[in-house]
Amino acid sequence: MALHKRLESTQRLVMRIALSVLGVLCLLVGCVFFLQGINVIPGSFMTGQTKWAIYGALTAIVGIALLVFANRRKNAS
């Protein structure tokens, strides 16, 4: 029984880390896309194009959602 709980705890930790890393990557990429789309970061085919600003904002929102989901506290029950 103790081994099962330990394994379950380890799996949760690995999943939390993986989702956190994915969330941070989505947030960073989304911010870069957004900034290029609104013409703050020049030098790309995305520069100054509104659709890339929208894609970036959506990607950043997904990244934030992943971070919140990965790091929420589980109720003690």
Side-chain angles (χ1 to χ4, degrees):
M1 186 67 120
L3 180 60
H4 176 69
K5 284 204 177 271
R6 195 181 210 183
L7 182 60
E8 188 176 295
S9 175
T10 303
Q11 288 173 338
R12 253 189 262 136
L13 177 64
V14 169
M15 182 61 77
R16 193 176 108 213
I17 291 170
L19 287 175
S20 292
V21 168
L22 186 60
V24 168
L25 287 175
C26 283
L27 183 60
L28 291 174
V29 168
C31 286
V32 169
F33 281 15
F34 179 77
L35 292 174
Q36 285 182 334
I38 62 170
N39 211 14
V40 173
I41 301 175
S44 170
F45 66 92
M46 295 184 277
T47 301
Q49 295 194 17
T50 306
K51 73 176 183 179
W52 289 105
I54 294 169
Y55 295 159
L58 293 173
T59 304
I61 290 169
V62 168
I64 291 168
L66 282 171
L67 286 170
V68 168
F69 179 76
N71 294 300
R72 66 190 166 108
R73 300 273 183 209
K74 183 178 178 186
N75 291 336
S77 52

